[in-house]
């Protein structure tokens, strides 16, 4: 039996290594914020923690009160980058189709529209809500080959410190592609 | 308790001063590229009519005969900040050749924008317009900031760029100048 396992390991470990090598993680030496990134099929995908105090500062500067922005701050927010460097065609994505898994259980993202509608029901200033809307990672977009990209905030909707796997999906003329980041951690409180 | 509150406020104040730039300088940000995407077929540029920093109304309709670079941006948008200096260098290099740059700010007031412009090197001399409600975003099909369109002298859109770019790159300057031929 052990020979069978050893034999399987011989064949599969190189492939496991290949998959792992596509993801990298680094930590900002100043802020301590972590980034998880991968580059696959000509597309770059990364999630960088935005620390709670960074979020508070950003949105208080945009006109929110600390109380107003706290539900968003505590929702596990990432600076998200998706860029079409050299994919085999124009890529199209809808972020609500992306998958988040916590302990193998699928978790649904809270959409930008849901957040905006939530804030429209509060006393938040109109200018603050406009800034909020456009600071989010676009919920849907098409990126041409050669460097079209966006950078924006993505609320995962999980508690501080939660670990999850994220799968970003896009299609090229109807054919689906995906990039997976594993072991991503929400910032701690 | 009071001490904790004091620390919290100090931390928040410190982050208020540094937070935005920290986000902007988060690790792993992609380099700015210099590719423009051709818009085929060329579509007529939507309406664009807003006040500028001098409170004068600027209407893109009045700029027919020129190449117009229309850039949608905000001060809090890291890639917008990164590309702003290159837009000014593009403007300086092409302004004598019937090229106009319009940077449409989304949702901010003059004071915020004015204080931000002083931090940019070189400081922008092109026109900054104010779309305080963000209405132009839908008309122009903008889904994220920054997004930039290059409008031909006949008023149709020739190129689009989603995300930050190095607008002073020779390839982009050449592409823009060629639209005047």
């Amino acid at each position: 039996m052990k020979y069978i396992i050893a034999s399987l390991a011989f064949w599969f470990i190189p492939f496991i290594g290949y998959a792992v090598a596509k993801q990298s993680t680094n930590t900002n030496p100043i802020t301590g914020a972590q980034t998880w990134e991968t580059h696959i099929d000509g597309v770059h995908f990364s999630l960088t923690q935005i620390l709670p105090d960074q979020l508070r500062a950003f949105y208080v500067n945009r006109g929110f009160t600390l109380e107003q922005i706290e539900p968003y701050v505590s929702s596990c927010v990432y600076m998200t980058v998706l860029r079409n460097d050299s994919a085999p065609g124009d890529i199209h994505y809808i972020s609500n189709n992306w998958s988040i898994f916590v302990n193998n259980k699928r978790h649904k993202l809270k959409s930008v529209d849901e957040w905006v509608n939530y804030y429209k029901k509060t006393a938040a200033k109109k200018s603050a809500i406009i800034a909020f809307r456009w600071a989010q990672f676009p919920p849907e977009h098409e990126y041409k080959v050669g460097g079209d990209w966006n950078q924006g905030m993505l609320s995962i909707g999980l508690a501080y410190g939660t670990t999850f796997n994220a799968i970003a999906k896009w299609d090229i003329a109807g054919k689906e592609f995906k990039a997976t980041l594993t072991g991503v951690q929400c910032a701690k409180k | 308790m009071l001490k904790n509150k004091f620390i919290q406020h100090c931390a928040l104040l410190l982050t208020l001063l540094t937070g935005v730039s920290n986000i902007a300088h988060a690790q792993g940000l992609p380099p700015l590229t210099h590719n423009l995407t051709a818009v085929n077929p060329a579509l007529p540029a939507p309406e664009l009519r807003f006040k500028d920093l001098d409170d004068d109304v600027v209407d893109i309709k009045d700029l027919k005969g020129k190449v117009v670079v229309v850039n949608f941006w905000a001060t809090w948008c890291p890639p917008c900040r990164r590309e702003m200096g290159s837009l000014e260098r593009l403007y300086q290099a092409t302004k004598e050749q019937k090229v106009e740059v319009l940077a449409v700010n989304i949702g901010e007031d003059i004071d915020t924008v004015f204080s931000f412009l002083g931090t940019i090197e070189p400081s922008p001399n092109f026109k900054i317009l104010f779309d305080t409600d963000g209405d132009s975003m839908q008309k122009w099909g903008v889904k994220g900031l920054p997004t930039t369109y290059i409008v031909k002298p006949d008023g149709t859109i020739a190129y689009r760029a989603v995300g930050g770019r190095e607008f002073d790159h020779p390839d982009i300057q050449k592409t823009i100048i060629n639209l005047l031929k």
Side-chain angles (χ1 to χ4, degrees), chain A residues 26 79 83 126 146 148-149, chain B residues 23 27 30 35 133 162 165:
Chain A
N26 56 67
M79 182 59 73
R83 185 179 63 180
K126 189 180 174 186
D148 268 2
W149 66 295
Chain B
I23 291 171
Q27 283 185 331
N35 292 316
D133 293 326
V162 176
R165 294 293 193 278

Side-chain angles (χ1 to χ4, degrees), chain B residues 2 11 16 21 26 39 43-44 64 66 77 85 91 96 102 109 122 128-129 131 138 150 158 162 167 174:
Chain B
L2 271 175
L16 278 169
S21 65
V39 175
L43 300 168
K64 278 204 176 165
K66 292 184 173 184
C77 153
Y91 174 68
E96 305 298 335
L102 304 179
D109 59 38
I128 308 282
L129 310 186
D131 178 2
Q138 194 171 2
I150 314 293
V162 176
F167 283 103
K174 189 177 168 189

